[in-house]
C-alpha cells in the first residue's frame, strides 16, 4: 500500500530517528515521514522511531500480537500497514493512541475476532479499514460504531457466512465495500447485505465501489436493479415466518361468484396497466443516456443536469489521463474535437499543461483538483503503465472524498478482464462507461463533459507536442 511510491521520497539517515533494519524516508509533496520495515523478520512493532512518523509499512514480518503499547510512541501515524504478518490477537484499545489515523491495513493475517472494543478508534478521520484474507467467521453488528467516518471496508476472503443486520446503516460516508471470497449462503443470510446494496446504489444513488454484484448467488448477478429487486423480494417472502394453513369449507352464493369474477377482470386490467407502465419506465431508465444525448444533439439542452457548486472556478473542464502510447488519438482526434470553438472545452494534458520542474505527483494531484471531470482513456497500454494506474487511483480517491461522479471512463478497446486493476474492475461493475466503438461515442462524450461557456480555447500545434519525446518510463523523480 505504501512501498510503491518511493520515487517521491528521500532517505533519512539519523540513527535517532530510524531503527535498523528499517528504511526511513521523507516525502516532498506532503512533508510526511515514511518508515518501511518490510521483510525484516520483526516479531513486534519497532520502538526506536521518531514520533514524527506519519506512515509505516510493516508488511511481510512475523508480528503475532498487538497491545495498547504497540503504537503509543508514534501518535502522529496516519497510515498503518500490517499486511501479511501472523497477527492472531489484538488487545482492546490497541489503536486508541493513534488520534489522526486515516488508513489501517490488517489484511493477510490470522485474525479470527473483531469487535467494537478491538476497533475502538480515537481518530475522527479513519477512512479505510482492510481486514481481507483473515479467518473472521462472524462479528457483532456494532463492530464499526466507533468508525463513523470510514469510507472503505474490505472484508473479502474471510470465513463469513453472513453480514449482521444494520452493520452499515450508520456509516454515512461509506463508499467502498468488498466481500467476495466468503462462504455466504445465498438466502436469508445475505438478505441484509443485498437489501442495503439495493437501497444505497439504486434508491439513494450512492457512488459505491464494491464487488457485491459479483456474488455467485444467481446467473445474472446483482448489477441489474430489476432482477436484484425481485431477488430481494423473493428472499423476504421466503425468510418471513409462514402462517399455519387450515382448511375451511364455505358455501358461496352464485351472485357472489359473478361479482368475484368481475373483480378479477378489473384487477387483471389494472395489473396489465401497471406492468406496461413499469415496462415503459424500465426502457426509459435503461436507455436514459441515449435519450438525453438525443435531446442534447437536437436542442443543445441538458435536461436534469445542473452545475455543481464545487466546479465553480475550476480551471479545466477535464483532465485527460492516458498512456503516452495513445497520444496520437489524443492529439489528432480528442483535442481538436473537444477544444474546438464549437465545443469550447478546456482540457488539461500532461505534455502541455503540467508545470515544468514540479514533482510529477504534485502535477497530477493539482490537475485533478483543478478539473471538473477526469477522463480516463483505458487501453492495454494504459493498464500496463504504473503512472496511469497512479493517476486512476488518485482520481478515484478524490472522487470518493468529494462524493461526486467525477470520473468518466472510456474503454479504448476490448481488454481481458484478468488484466484489469482491482479498483478499475470494481469501478466498471458499478458505473456507466463509454466505449470507443460506440456509434454515439462523440455525442455521449460531449454530453458528459460540461463546456466552459465564454472561455477562449487554447490553440496548440499538435506537431509541436509530438516532437516532445515523453514516455511513462522517463517520469522518475529523485530527491536528494
Amino acid at each position: 500500500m505504501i512501498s510503491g511510491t518511493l520515487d517521491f521520497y528521500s532517505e533519512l539517515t539519523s540513527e535517532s530517528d530510524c531503527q535498523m533494519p528499517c528504511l526511513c524516508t521523507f516525502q516532498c509533496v506532503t512533508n510526511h515521514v515514511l518508515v518501511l520495515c518490510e521483510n525484516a523478520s520483526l516479531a513486534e512493532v519497532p520502538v526506536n522511531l521518531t514520533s514524527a512518523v506519519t506512515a509505516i509499512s510493516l508488511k511481510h514480518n512475523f508480528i503475532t500480537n498487538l497491545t495498547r503499547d504497540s503504537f503509543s510512541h508514534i501518535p502522529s501515524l496516519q497510515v498503518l500497514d500490517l499486511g501479511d504478518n501472523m497477527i492472531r490477537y489484538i488487545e482492546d484499545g490497541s489503536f486508541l493512541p493513534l488520534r489522526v489515523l486515516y488508513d489501517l491495513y490488517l489484511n493477510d493475517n490470522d485474525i479470527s475476532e473483531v469487535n467494537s472494543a478491538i476497533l475502538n478508534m480515537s481518530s475522527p478521520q479513519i477512512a479505510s479499514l482492510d481486514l481481507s484474507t483473515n479467518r473472521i467467521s462472524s462479528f457483532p453488528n456494532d463492530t464499526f460504531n466507533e468508525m463513523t467516518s470510514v469510507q472503505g471496508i474490505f472484508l473479502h476472503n474471510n470465513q463469513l457466512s453472513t453480514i449482521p443486520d444494520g452493520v452499515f446503516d450508520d456509516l454515512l460516508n461509506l463508499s467502498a465495500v468488498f466481500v467476495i471470497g466468503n462462504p455466504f449462503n445465498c438466502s436469508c443470510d445475505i438478505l441484509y447485505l443485498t437489501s442495503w446494496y439495493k437501497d444505497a446504489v439504486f434508491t439513494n444513488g450512492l457512488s459505491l465501489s464494491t464487488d457485491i454484484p459479483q456474488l455467485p448467488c444467481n446467473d445474472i448477478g446483482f448489477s441489474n436493479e430489476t432482477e436484484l429487486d425481485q431477488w430481494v423480494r423473493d428472499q423476504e417472502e421466503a425468510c418471513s415466518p409462514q402462517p399455519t394453513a387450515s382448511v375451511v369449507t364455505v358455501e358461496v352464493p352464485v351472485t357472489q361468484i359473478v361479482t368475484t369474477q368481475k373483480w378479477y377482470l378489473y384487477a387483471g386490467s389494472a395489473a396489465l396497466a401497471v406492468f406496461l407502465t413499469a415496462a415503459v419506465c424500465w426502457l426509459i431508465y435503461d436507455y436514459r443516456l441515449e435519450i438525453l444525448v438525443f435531446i442534447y444533439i437536437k436542442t443543445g439542452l441538458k435536461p436534469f443536469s445542473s452545475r455543481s457548486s464545487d466546479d465553480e472556478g475550476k480551471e479545466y473542464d477535464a483532465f485527460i489521463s492516458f498512456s503516452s502510447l495513445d497520444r496520437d488519438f489524443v492529439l489528432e482526434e480528442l483535442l481538436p474535437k473537444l477544444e474546438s470553438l464549437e465545443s469550447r472545452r478546456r482540457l488539461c494534458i500532461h505534455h502541455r499543461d503540467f508545470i515544468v520542474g514540479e514533482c510529477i505527483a504534485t502535477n497530477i494531484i493539482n490537475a485533478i483538483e483543478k478539473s471538473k471531470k477526469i477522463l480516463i482513456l483505458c487501453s492495454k497500454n494504459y493498464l500496463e503503465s504504473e503512472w496511469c494506474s497512479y493517476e486512476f487511483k488518485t482520481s478515484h480517491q478524490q472522487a470518493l472524498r468529494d462524493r461526486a461522479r467525477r470520473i468518466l471512463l472510456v474503454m479504448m478497446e476490448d481488454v481481458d478482464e484478468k488484466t484489469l486493476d482491482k479498483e478499475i474492475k470494481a469501478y466498471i461493475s458499478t458505473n456507466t462507461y463509454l466505449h470507443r466503438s460506440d456509434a454515439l461515442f462523440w455525442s455521449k462524450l460531449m454530453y458528459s463533459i460540461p463546456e466552459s461557456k465564454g472561455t477562449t480555447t487554447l490553440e496548440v500545434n499538435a506537431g509541436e507536442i509530438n516532437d516532445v519525446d515523453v514516455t511513462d518510463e522517463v517520469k522518475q523523480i529523485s530527491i536528494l
Side-chain angles (χ1 to χ4, degrees), residues 174-205:
L174 198 58
S175 53
V177 176
F178 290 87
V179 296
I180 282 289
N182 284 285
F184 290 123
N185 296 317
C186 295
S187 59
C188 306
D189 290 339
I190 63 165
L191 179 57
Y192 166 74
L193 179 64
T194 51
S195 297
W196 174 82
Y197 170 71
K198 177 177 73 73
D199 292 340
V201 174
F202 296 113
T203 302
N204 300 326

Side-chain angles (χ1 to χ4, degrees), residues 332-350:
E332 297 173 9
E333 296 188 52
L334 188 69
L335 288 183
K337 286 183 180 292
L338 293 185
E339 288 195 333
S340 66
L341 291 176
E342 294 180 357
S343 299
R344 294 183 298 184
R345 270 70 172 183
R346 172 78 165 134
L347 306 180
C348 176
I349 62 173
H350 314 100

Side-chain angles (χ1 to χ4, degrees), residues 33-303:
V33 176
L34 165 64
V35 176
L36 296 179
C37 296
E38 301 176 359
N39 293 300
S41 300
L42 297 176
E44 60 183 11
V45 178
V47 176
N48 296 328
L49 295 174
T50 172
S51 60
V53 173
T54 53
I56 185 169
S57 178
L58 295 163
K59 295 192 297 185
H60 314 303
N61 282 292
F62 303 106
I63 299 173
T64 58
N65 300 321
L66 298 178
T67 69
R68 296 180 182 178
D69 298 326
S70 296
F71 310 108
S72 59
H73 57 299
I74 44 177
S76 300
L77 207 58
Q78 297 180 21
V79 180
L80 173 58
D81 192 342
L82 289 160
D84 197 9
N85 274 273
M86 302 171 64
I87 300 172
R88 61 175 61 95
Y89 171 75
I90 303 176
E91 185 180 9
D92 292 353
S94 292
F95 305 109
L96 280 175
L98 307 178
R99 299 186 179 278
V100 291
L101 186 63
Y102 194 81
D103 295 320
L104 175 59
Y105 302 100
L106 294 167
N107 53 289
D108 295 275
N109 277 283
D110 200 28
I111 301 170
S112 60
E113 180 184 9
V114 290
N115 53 51
S116 58
I118 291 176
L119 297 178
N120 188 7
M121 301 285 178
S122 60
S123 172
Q125 61 184 28
I126 187 73
S128 179
L129 174 64
D130 191 345
L131 291 166
S132 62
T133 316
N134 278 284
R135 294 192 304 109
I136 303 170
S137 58
S138 65
F139 55 86
N141 61 1
D142 65 347
T143 298
F144 308 119
N145 280 9
E146 300 297 325
M147 308 172 64
T148 54
S149 64
V150 69
Q151 299 172 18
I153 295 179
F154 303 86
L155 297 168
H156 49 285
N157 298 328
N158 274 283
Q159 299 177 14
L160 296 168
S161 60
T162 186
I163 298 295
D165 290 356
V167 69
F168 298 140
D169 289 354
D170 295 328
L171 305 181
L172 303 182
N173 295 311
L174 198 58
S175 53
V177 176
F178 290 87
V179 296
I180 282 289
N182 284 285
F184 290 123
N185 296 317
C186 295
S187 59
C188 306
D189 290 339
I190 63 165
L191 179 57
Y192 166 74
L193 179 64
T194 51
S195 297
W196 174 82
Y197 170 71
K198 177 177 73 73
D199 292 340
V201 174
F202 296 113
T203 302
N204 300 326
L206 178 66
S207 179
L208 184 68
S209 294
T210 183
D211 55 9
I212 294 176
Q214 283 80 53
L215 284 174
C217 290
N218 53 24
D219 296 332
I220 57 169
F222 291 128
S223 59
N224 184 298
E225 178 182 6
T226 303
E227 299 293 345
L228 173 59
D229 184 68
Q230 183 61 51
W231 191 90
V232 169
R233 284 191 281 111
D234 290 345
Q235 295 305 313
E236 287 176 341
E237 182 177 349
C239 298
S240 300
Q242 300 296 319
T244 303
S246 59
V247 178
V248 179
T249 302
V250 180
E251 294 184 2
V252 181
V254 175
T255 54
Q256 185 174 344
I257 294 176
V258 174
T259 303
T260 301
Q261 290 176 341
K262 290 183 178 180
W263 183 88
Y264 282 141
L265 179 62
Y266 296 149
S269 300
L272 179 61
V274 171
F275 172 78
L276 292 175
T277 302
V280 172
C281 291
W282 179 81
L283 287 172
I284 293 174
Y285 177 80
D286 203 41
Y287 292 94
R288 62 192 183 280
L289 180 57
E290 284 76 7
I291 295 172
L292 292 173
V293 169
F294 177 80
I295 295 173
Y296 175 67
I297 293 173
K298 296 298 182 181
T299 67
L301 300 176
K302 292 185 178 181

Side-chain angles (χ1 to χ4, degrees), residues 347-359:
L347 306 180
C348 176
I349 62 173
H350 314 100
H351 311 63
R352 181 183 69 191
D353 301 302
F354 276 14
I355 299 174
V356 177
E358 186 65 88
C359 288

